[in-house]
Amino acid sequence: MSILHRWLTPGHPELPVGKVVCVGRNYAAHALELGHAVPQRPILFMKPASAVVPLESPIDWPRAEGCCHFETELTLLIHRPLSHATPTEIRQAVAGLGIGLDLTLRDLQEQLKQAGHPWERAKAFDGAAPLSAFIPAEELSPWEPLQFSLDINGKRRQTGNTALMLFSFEKLLMEISQCFRLEPGDVVMTGTPQGVGPLDSGDALLLTLENRQFKTSVR
Ligand code: ZN
């Protein structure tokens, strides 16, 4: 398990791995592919620090629980406390940007949803948040439109652009900081675009964020 977040370039402050606040249905096309309405307020849930693993580590999950879906998401690394934050505080609080997978045990999540139970078993298990090293905000601005994608075994599966988010990074952090105090080392996963699907043993994944590439695979 990671103890400190990793930077893509050296010389940036060390930050402990904190909680991961996740956003559901932040891209309209993804909400629709799962048969949901577009939300009026961000749908928020969390993964604990124990779910975080380096993106490059082989992906695994409790196989007895059924299929595990990939959800490719941009991630924001927070380095200043944020509570009921203003836009200025928000812009100063994002230290870096990365890409990660919001791994989801979809069969189990469907059972839990139908029973009206919380999602943690499906979303917060050990290894459920593979995160790339972070790119410092000075090198890649989180406040400009950003393009990202996922290829599996050489085939494009997901393409995202932050211009298509229902709630911008700024709006998300404003809303999140009303509910949960964000601490240095916390991460926000900002939602997945359409195209989610199950992972298989041996899959080779290539994630891109602008011109950066990150590789991983399924055990
Ligand atoms: Zn997600």
Side-chain angles (χ1 to χ4, degrees):
M1 189 198 307
S2 323
I3 295 169
L4 294 172
H5 285 295
R6 299 164 307 138
W7 291 101
L8 212 54
T9 49
H12 300 281
E14 290 191 338
L15 289 165
V17 175
K19 64 183 174 288
V20 181
V21 180
C22 302
V23 182
R25 304 171 205 165
N26 198 25
Y27 291 82
H30 169 63
L32 298 175
E33 78 179 342
L34 292 185
H36 299 297
V38 168
Q40 300 303 305
R41 300 172 80 190
I43 294 169
L44 303 178
F45 59 96
M46 281 193 247
K47 297 179 190 249
S50 51
V52 173
V53 289
L55 181 64
E56 318 75 81
S57 310
I59 293 169
D60 211 350
W61 63 90
R63 306 276 172 141
E65 301 291 359
C67 76
C68 180
H69 272 203
F70 55 84
E71 297 190 358
T72 310
E73 311 202 359
L74 294 190
T75 57
L76 303 174
L77 176 59
I78 304 300
H79 70 149
R80 293 192 185 171
L82 278 183
S83 181
H84 301 272
T86 65
T88 306
E89 289 169 333
I90 284 168
R91 293 205 169 216
Q92 292 168 348
V94 176
L97 188 72
I99 194 164
L101 295 168
D102 166 16
L103 295 181
T104 305
L105 303 174
R106 192 72 75 200
D107 297 331
L108 180 58
Q109 188 196 27
E110 288 305 321
Q111 293 166 23
L112 294 168
K113 276 191 205 170
Q114 279 173 19
H117 292 164
W119 292 353
E120 274 85 349
R121 282 175 176 272
K123 288 273 199 185
F125 59 94
D126 294 348
L131 302 183
S132 75
F134 286 90
I135 304 161
E138 313 87 79
E139 291 175 27
L140 184 63
S141 171
W143 315 112
E144 305 293 331
L146 293 161
Q147 183 86 24
F148 62 104
S149 65
L150 168 69
D151 291 1
I152 301 182
N153 304 327
K155 194 170 168 224
R156 181 62 44 97
R157 302 294 297 273
Q158 289 194 280
T159 305
N161 191 298
T162 54
L164 298 175
M165 292 190 299
L166 297 170
F167 303 99
S168 67
F169 289 162
E170 200 172 79
K171 281 192 187 141
L172 287 178
L173 291 172
M174 211 175 269
E175 180 79 19
I176 289 168
S177 76
Q178 304 281 325
C179 317
F180 312 120
R181 178 187 167 85
L182 292 173
E183 307 279 359
D186 286 350
V187 170
V188 176
M189 299 193 85
T190 57
T192 191
Q194 69 187 114
V196 301
L199 292 166
D200 281 319
S201 291
D203 279 347
L205 283 69
L206 173 68
L207 293 81
T208 66
L209 165 51
E210 292 292 321
N211 58 355
R212 281 87 168 170
Q213 295 194 332
F214 303 88
K215 287 181 182 172
T216 187
S217 61
V218 180
R219 195 183 294 278

